């Protein structure tokens, strides 16, 4: 829709009906201290009752408010409409460190979880980096990443708005001295998220569910532990970020509920690729990419037999998790509890 179309709506629809269709517009009016105007009136009618001195503080008058409101809705509408819908991502093989060709064209669909496994230094992070920059044969591996079967130009690869890829690295450091709430509010508003308050609340609760140690909305992001930071960014990626591709580097080192984190992201219909040494995560994925000598050696589809073995792996993992908790609480580990015995 164009500004003239929104101008027609603004003059003919009540604010109640207009904001029901475009709830993001409530933020615009609230920022101008117009959040309490009568919802049954149109915006021009309501502005006749507005305090002119308040509008003057913002250098506005009723005409400019209506014009700015229409432009705001148009910008929001264009941003929503311009986002790329990803039906599938394809990795076209390049070369390994020995300059041997990767004989692979591997396609991934939204909702799939792909683990990337291999020895330390084998090239797992290099593959994540190729996907992050949507490589077009211009990285050391020569790989090509295609979206919906198409190659991408530099504008599509590197644009900041509507970025296709979000990467959660092992080391997450915040440089802005904001509270957790201020951080989430800033991100939600920059993304023009509808019903931002509800989304921020769900995001904060989810982050605390994932983190090993709880934190408050007033905690400074610079004071969060590594695990808390990772939990916050995973929740942010799930509920606020609209990047359809999520890359995670060794989440098992984050000190969070890693399986819950991966399941959460997958349920948001995102493409998830995770570099891991953790057998629980590796076998929980739909498929795993095996890296050797810097190249993709093979792709393995997780079998039913492997999935059946997860029950034993989970039991082992639960034993180790309980031991970690006891250590954190300062308890003695002089013997394993009876429930830890494996059959």
């Amino acid at each position: 829709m164009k500004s003239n179309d929104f101008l027609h709506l603004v003059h003919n629809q009540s604010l109640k009906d207009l904001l029901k269709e475009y709830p993001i517009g409530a933020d615009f009016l609230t920022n101008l201290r117009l959040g309490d105007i009568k919802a049954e009136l149109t915006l021009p009618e309501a502005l006749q009752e507005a305090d002119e001195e308040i509008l003057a503080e913002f250098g506005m008058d009723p005409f400019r408010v209506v014009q700015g409101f229409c432009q705001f809705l148009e910008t929001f509408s264009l941003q929503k409409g311009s986002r790329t819908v990803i039906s599938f991502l394809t990795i076209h093989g390049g070369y390994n460190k020995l300059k041997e060709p990767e004989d692979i064209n591997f396609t991934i669909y939204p909702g799939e979880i792909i683990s990337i496994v291999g020895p330390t230094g084998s090239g797992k992070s290099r593959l994540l980096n190729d996907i992050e920059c949507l490589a077009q044969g211009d990285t050391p591996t020569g790989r090509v990443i295609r979206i919906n079967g198409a190659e991408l130009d530099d504008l599509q690869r590197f644009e900041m708005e509507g970025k296709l890829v979000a990467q959660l690295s092992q080391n997450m450091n915040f440089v802005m001295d904001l509270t957790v709430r201020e951080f989430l509010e800033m991100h939600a508003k920059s993304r023009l998220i509808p019903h931002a308050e509800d989304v921020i609340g769900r995001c904060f609760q989810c982050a605390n569910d994932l983190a090993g140690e709880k934190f408050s909305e007033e905690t400074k992001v610079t004071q969060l532990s590594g695990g808390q930071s990772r939990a916050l960014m995973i929740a942010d990626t799930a509920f606020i970020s609209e990047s359809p591709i999520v890359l995670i580097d060794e989440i098992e080192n984050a000190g969070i509920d890693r399986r819950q984190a991966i399941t959460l992201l997958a349920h948001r219909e995102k493409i998830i690729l995770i570099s891991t040494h953790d057998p629980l995560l590796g076998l929980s994925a739909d498929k795993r990419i095996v890296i050797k000598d810097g190249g993709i050696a093979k792709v393995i589809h997780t079998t039913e037999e492997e999935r059946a073995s997860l029950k034993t792996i989970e039991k082992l993992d639960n034993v180790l998790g309980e031991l970690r908790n006891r250590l954190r609480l300062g308890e003695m580990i002089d013997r394993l509890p009876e429930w830890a015995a494996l059959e």
Side-chain angles (χ1 to χ4, degrees), residues 257-295:
D257 188 331
R258 58 203 189 285
R259 291 198 72 195
Q260 183 182 346
I262 298 301
T263 301
L264 169 69
L265 292 168
H267 284 169
R268 309 297 288 186
E269 287 300 303
K270 296 176 183 286
I271 290 174
I272 313 296
L273 293 104
I274 172 171
S275 166
T276 185
H277 295 284
D278 186 339
L280 186 63
L281 288 177
L283 297 182
S284 295
D286 300 291
K287 303 163 191 169
R288 61 187 182 272
I289 298 173
V290 181
I291 303 294
K292 181 181 179 182
D293 295 326

Side-chain angles (χ1 to χ4, degrees), residues 112-176:
E112 283 193 316
I113 303 172
I114 309 298
S115 62
I116 304 171
V117 301
T120 299
S122 61
K124 299 187 296 297
S125 294
R126 178 70 265 177
L127 175 57
L128 290 179
N129 291 338
D130 282 347
I131 298 170
E132 182 185 22
C133 73
L134 299 171
Q136 298 296 300
D138 52 358
T139 68
T141 65
R143 294 181 183 123
V144 174
I145 309 299
R146 288 183 175 157
I147 302 298
N148 301 337
E151 295 186 8
L152 305 173
D153 58 32
D154 287 348
L155 179 61
Q156 293 170 303
R157 291 174 64 189
F158 304 119
E159 67 174 341
M160 296 304 295
E161 288 295 333
K163 194 173 183 188
L164 296 178
V165 182
Q167 180 162 14
L168 303 176
S169 63
Q170 293 187 55
N171 300 311
M172 309 215 50
N173 297 308
F174 292 100
V175 296
M176 298 180 68

Side-chain angles (χ1 to χ4, degrees), residues 172-178 183 186 220-223 229:
M172 309 215 50
N173 297 308
F174 292 100
V175 296
M176 298 180 68
D177 194 26
L178 301 173
F183 171 79
M186 181 182 68
K220 297 285 189 178
V221 292
T222 52
Q223 296 173 342
S229 297

